[in-house]
Amino acid sequence: MTDGFIILFGLTMLYLAATSRIIAHIRLLIIQGVLLFLICCGEHANGLNLIFMIIETLVVKSIIIPWFLYRVLKKTHSNRDAAANIPHFYCLVISSIILLGGFLASNYYISSVKLISPMYFGVSIATIVISLWLITIKHKIISNVIEFITMENGIFLLSLSVVQRLFSCAIQEFNSDANCAELSRCKGM
């Protein structure tokens, strides 16, 4: 289930590259915040972590930041970023290639590294690269701010991949240490 949410998160970047309406970019930030919350709930759902994830992903990323950006958008009266250097169709094609490259690189290079989940890594690296690329081709400041927030969402997803694997490795290490201690205690008797 978590992998489906991660793939949907990657697909939001394709929609972000294809549209020029800034209101759609802000709505996409809300969707990304909810998807990050669902990804966190799928992997890290315990007491204090869940409360922190609810505050960070749902409240801050899905409510406060988009609300602030809506207010800025109403005051500036800028509805679309039509002055981009590259047409939106080409942005979609290039973003699709970057996303595919993220999937291929994660499955090819990261499969040997045990501390990083390949699905998380591929989508998060693709999100970071697409966001950086969109920052360079957009002209409006509000578009650049939105792209910066999506890049931060990609960094957050990358950190979740490392935390997920480190946590599972720590549990396995703890279990193996407990089994070794139990075995040595049994041999001592």
Side-chain angles (χ1 to χ4, degrees):
M1 189 70 165
T2 304
D3 288 342
F5 292 138
I6 294 171
I7 291 171
L8 282 175
F9 186 84
L11 292 176
T12 60
M13 292 305 295
L14 296 181
Y15 183 71
L16 191 69
T19 186
S20 66
R21 299 186 65 81
I22 297 175
I23 195 82
H25 289 208
I26 296 171
R27 288 182 185 141
L28 221 56
L29 285 178
I30 295 170
I31 293 170
Q32 280 188 348
V34 171
L35 286 172
L36 283 174
F37 172 72
L38 293 173
I39 291 167
C40 290
C41 283
E43 299 295 329
H44 311 286
N46 59 12
L48 190 58
N49 284 346
L50 186 63
I51 292 170
F52 178 72
M53 295 299 168
I54 287 172
I55 291 172
E56 183 180 6
T57 58
L58 282 182
V59 175
V60 174
K61 290 181 185 279
S62 297
I63 297 171
I64 294 175
I65 292 175
W67 174 74
F68 181 73
L69 289 172
Y70 276 130
R71 290 191 52 185
V72 169
L73 190 64
K74 283 183 181 180
K75 289 187 181 198
T76 59
H77 302 292
S78 58
N79 293 328
R80 57 177 63 229
D81 192 0
N85 294 336
I86 298 174
H88 293 286
F89 175 73
Y90 294 132
C91 288
L92 177 63
V93 170
I94 292 170
S95 296
S96 299
I97 292 169
I98 292 171
L99 187 62
L100 179 66
F103 282 125
L104 293 176
S106 68
N107 287 327
Y108 183 69
Y109 291 113
I110 301 302
S111 61
S112 63
V113 179
K114 301 295 183 205
L115 291 179
I116 299 175
S117 174
M119 181 68 72
Y120 281 91
F121 182 78
V123 172
S124 63
I125 290 298
T127 300
I128 293 167
V129 171
I130 291 170
S131 296
L132 285 172
W133 181 67
L134 289 175
I135 285 171
T136 60
I137 65 167
K138 302 282 183 168
H139 289 293
K140 293 202 176 194
I141 296 295
I142 193 164
S143 295
N144 289 337
V145 169
I146 291 169
E147 304 306 329
F148 184 76
I149 294 170
T150 59
M151 182 177 63
E152 191 272 331
N153 287 343
I155 293 168
F156 183 77
L157 188 63
L158 182 63
S159 70
L160 284 179
S161 75
V162 175
V163 166
Q164 174 200 10
R165 292 297 179 142
L166 285 178
F167 184 70
S168 64
C169 288
I171 294 294
Q172 289 174 356
E173 186 70 26
F174 177 74
N175 287 338
S176 67
D177 287 346
N179 290 340
C180 290
E182 183 70 25
L183 184 62
S184 65
R185 188 172 54 90
C186 289
K187 283 185 179 179
M189 292 184 151

